[in-house]
Amino acid sequence: MLVVITAETFFTAEITQIKQLIDLGLKTVHVRKPQASYIELKSWLQQFEPHYLATMMLHQHHKLAEEFCCKGMHFKEMQRNTESEAFRFQLEKLKKKRFQVSTSFHEINELNSYSALFDYCFLSPVFTSISKTEYEGKQFEVHNIPQQIIALGGITSEKIAEVNQRGFSGIAVLGAIWLSENPVEAFIKIKNEYEHIYR
């Protein structure tokens, strides 16, 4: 599984570039705009046609995922209450509506308890982050964990083979795309290497 996470802030070329990535074969876009208001995010989503929206997992303002027929919803650690029957029921209800649900972990010992509730989970930082300073890589290995675990943190095309060797089901990239001079070219390089390693 190859995931691209959006930049935290909106920028001029972003919508065009995200459409280009999807046109090039990207199937999962995580929309993470932590400072965006409900209205701002709604306005942003309105600029995408339905087949682009169908690739998007929203990190906030989850009601918009239903309104725009997005792919699904991502739950942050603070939103996740896996001990709660109400939360578990909420996840099951979303799955019945054919939404995907994902979440993030930062410690490997949490995975066995809760990861099975989600379609897939991010585990980070695997390597030292490109987009966040002082976010040191933890060199996780996830062999013998049956769920889909996606590597996040410091992922570049050069690291994909190692990610595969560490047992991950796929990769999520952010800084390697949006901090590059040409995000589309950076994506193509990552996608080609991903398909070579995970074929």
Side-chain angles (χ1 to χ4, degrees):
M1 185 175 191
L2 171 58
V3 176
V4 171
I5 303 173
T6 63
E8 289 192 8
T9 56
F10 301 111
F11 60 93
T12 305
E14 180 180 33
I15 289 168
T16 299
Q17 289 174 344
I18 289 174
K19 288 181 179 182
Q20 287 177 293
L21 302 192
I22 296 167
D23 289 340
L24 286 164
L26 178 62
K27 293 183 170 52
T28 307
V29 179
H30 271 248
V31 180
R32 182 175 176 272
K33 303 287 186 185
Q35 308 306 319
S37 69
Y38 184 91
I39 297 298
E40 287 170 334
L41 189 58
K42 181 173 182 175
S43 175
W44 187 83
L45 291 168
Q46 285 171 334
Q47 298 177 72
F48 291 93
E49 290 78 15
H51 71 283
Y52 294 118
L53 293 165
T55 69
M56 296 185 181
M57 300 284 290
L58 301 192
H59 280 230
Q60 60 275 321
H61 308 308
H62 286 164
K63 286 183 180 179
L64 291 171
E66 299 201 47
E67 183 176 342
F68 285 90
C69 298
C70 294
K71 186 171 190 171
M73 304 161 201
H74 182 85
F75 292 86
K76 295 177 283 190
E77 280 182 288
M78 61 182 292
Q79 296 171 312
R80 186 176 69 226
N81 183 0
T82 43
E83 298 296 328
S84 160
E85 283 299 318
F87 181 74
R88 289 168 182 256
F89 178 75
Q90 180 188 3
L91 293 184
E92 288 303 318
K93 193 174 175 183
L94 290 171
K95 288 180 183 180
K96 284 177 182 175
K97 291 181 177 179
R98 300 189 182 279
F99 288 109
Q100 289 197 9
V101 291
S102 64
T103 192
S104 301
F105 292 97
H106 302 286
E107 296 297 338
I108 201 163
N109 59 1
E110 297 175 332
L111 284 170
N112 292 328
S113 305
Y114 305 136
S115 55
L117 296 172
F118 299 91
D119 292 294
Y120 60 92
C121 306
F122 293 153
L123 180 61
S124 70
V126 179
F127 307 110
T128 299
S129 175
I130 298 168
S131 59
K132 296 180 180 178
T133 57
E134 299 179 10
Y135 205 48
E136 293 293 323
K138 296 183 179 179
Q139 309 293 317
F140 295 116
E141 295 201 12
V142 293
H143 301 287
N144 306 317
I145 295 176
Q147 286 78 34
Q148 268 207 101
I149 309 300
I150 309 301
L152 173 62
I155 308 295
T156 62
S157 58
E158 294 78 15
K159 299 267 179 61
I160 295 173
E162 184 178 347
V163 168
N164 185 39
Q165 290 164 4
R166 290 176 177 275
F168 287 90
S169 303
I171 60 169
V173 291
L174 194 168
I177 301 289
W178 304 117
L179 295 180
S180 67
E181 288 186 13
N182 189 320
V184 176
E185 284 184 8
F187 171 74
I188 291 170
K189 183 179 180 182
I190 288 168
K191 179 176 180 284
N192 288 343
E193 183 64 12
Y194 172 81
E195 289 177 346
H196 173 69
I197 298 296
Y198 278 88
R199 64 177 181 265

